[in-house]
Every structure is written in C-alpha cells, then in structure tokens.
Amino acid sequence: MKYRRLGDVTVSAIGLGAMPLSIERRPDEDQAVATVHAALDAGITLIDTADSYHWHAGEREHNEILVARALARYGGDTSHVLVATKGGRGRPGDGSWTVDATPAHLKRAAEASRKRLGVEAVGLYQLHKPDPGVPWADSVGALRELLDAGTVRAVGISNVTSDQIREAHAILGDALVSVQNQYSPAVRDAEPELRLAARLGLAFLPWSPLGGISRSSLDGPSGPASTDTAFHRVACDHGVSPQRLALAWLLHRAPTAIPIPGASRPASILDSARATEIELGAEELRRLEAPRSGP
C-alpha cells in the first residue's frame, strides 16, 4: 500500500467506500464485516461512511454502526484508521434522497455520528451536499463551529462547485482538508474541482470512482458497464482487472486524489487495494485520457 496526505494525517492512497454494505442489495453482516477486515488487512486506513447510508426507513444509522462494529471486532490495531463520515442528507426509505444542511441539523447530526462511531471526535466530517435552501456560508460556518467545539477534528465538503470550494476554504482555512465529488473514467465533470483541490492542497476523494467500468451501488438494475474500453485493453496489457486499472489511473490524475471504491466482498476491496502497485506510462495515460477512449 502507498499513502497520501489528508490534512495533517497520512492515509492509504485507496480508501474503502462503505456505502454498499448498507444500502440496497447489501450483503449479510458477516460478509460486510469480512469486507471491512479485508480492507484493513490490505493496509487501507481510510473508511468513508455517512449517516444516510442505509436501506429501510428507521435504520438511518446502519452504516456508521456497521463500520464501528467491524472495527471493534478486528483483531489488530485500528488506532491509525481514519473514519470519514458525512451529514446533511437523508433517505426516507423509498430510495429517494433529501437534503438538510441547516446549521442546527449539521450540529445534531455530527454529534450523533460521533456517538455512533464511538469516538471522542469525528476524524473527518464532511458536508454531504449543499442545501439550496441554506446560504452556503451558513452551512460551512456550522462546520467551523463543530471544529471549535471539538466534535470533529477536520472537515470536508462533497458534491460542490469550484466557487463553493473557494468560499469554504476562505472560511475554514487549513481546517478544510478534503473535497468529495463524483469522478470516474465515464464521469469527469469534476475535473475543475479536482485541479482546484490539488492547487489548494486538499485531498480529492472521487466517489463512484469505477463509473464506466463497474456499475455503481447507486445504479439501477439496467445499464451494465462497458466491457470494451481503453481501460479494459490497458488492464489486459498489465494482467489486472479493469477496476484496478481505473483506480491506478485516478491516482495518476492528481497527487491529492484518494479514490474510495465501494465494495461488498473481500475479494473486491483486496483487488482495489493493489491499484497502488500499477505504474502507468505516458502513452498509456494518453490512451486513457478521453472518456470511452479507443485504442
């Protein structure tokens, strides 16, 4: 495993996105716990969760509790593991998502997450999505108050524009350590935010990083991933899975990129963790440059 900086700590260059362990089509708890343990065994020290990662109504806390339980059951040292959670979104249980980034809600949510995770302070607390009904500065200001109160150690923002990153950075300064936006071989709309995060020294955590290679946990039953892209062909040249190759490509996109692929099986996260072993040459990167690129 290789490592990268996230604020004032060092974490694995590949993280574990824990969402698939709690939402639709989730595995049973034994398999979910085994998946977290496999990630830890592979050297992964960043686990991404959220208070809204659950399936049914009334189980809002499912993923955070699962992650905490898996860490407690692990036989080795977990003191170096950074659990990053998020607040500001909800799932009523019918498959839809809601947004509530009012300061009052974020403060309550962060304290509840801290208790569920069983920590003195949340290692990384991320605003899950801007709320169109709340001034951005007010939501970010709530993160500042959580820092000052000691409820969280560092903060991040997710699903944001470049202007929102700049405004949050002006308010939070060095306490802002990460940006989490969707970015993958097939979805590269966040390229400006990736570049801005790198210039500001912020970790960029691509969510759904295997889009175009594997179906996301957010995808419906239709629309299978492509099977014949430049990523598949370069992966074949290296003798690795296209998923592992895609993660290696993401690591080459910026020195602050830390992909967080989801996994629901130990084998999947073990394969993803080995993406740090792949070195890509200039010609290979050129072949991978354009979405749905050819040979």
Side-chain angles (χ1 to χ4, degrees), residues 214-237:
S214 295
R215 288 176 54 248
S216 166
S217 296
L218 295 175
D219 291 338
S222 61
S226 299
T227 58
D228 184 24
T229 69
F231 285 87
H232 291 78
R233 292 186 283 276
V234 174
C236 185
D237 293 341

Side-chain angles (χ1 to χ4, degrees), residues 256-277:
T256 60
I258 304 174
I260 47 172
S264 57
R265 299 181 299 117
S268 296
I269 195 58
L270 289 174
D271 184 71
S272 293
R274 296 188 64 186
T276 60
E277 301 172 4

Side-chain angles (χ1 to χ4, degrees), residues 164-188:
Q164 288 168 333
I165 294 173
R166 294 187 186 95
E167 185 174 355
H169 190 255
I171 294 171
L172 296 167
D174 291 342
L176 178 66
V177 300
S178 66
V179 173
Q180 184 176 152
N181 279 14
Q182 185 177 18
Y183 191 86
S184 69
V187 181
R188 307 187 193 183

Side-chain angles (χ1 to χ4, degrees), residues 13 29 42 51 69-70 89 140 147 171 181 257 259 268 270 285:
E29 182 166 319
D51 63 5
R69 187 176 295 148
R89 301 205 77 179
V140 175
L147 284 161
I171 294 171
N181 279 14
S268 296
L270 289 174
L285 291 171

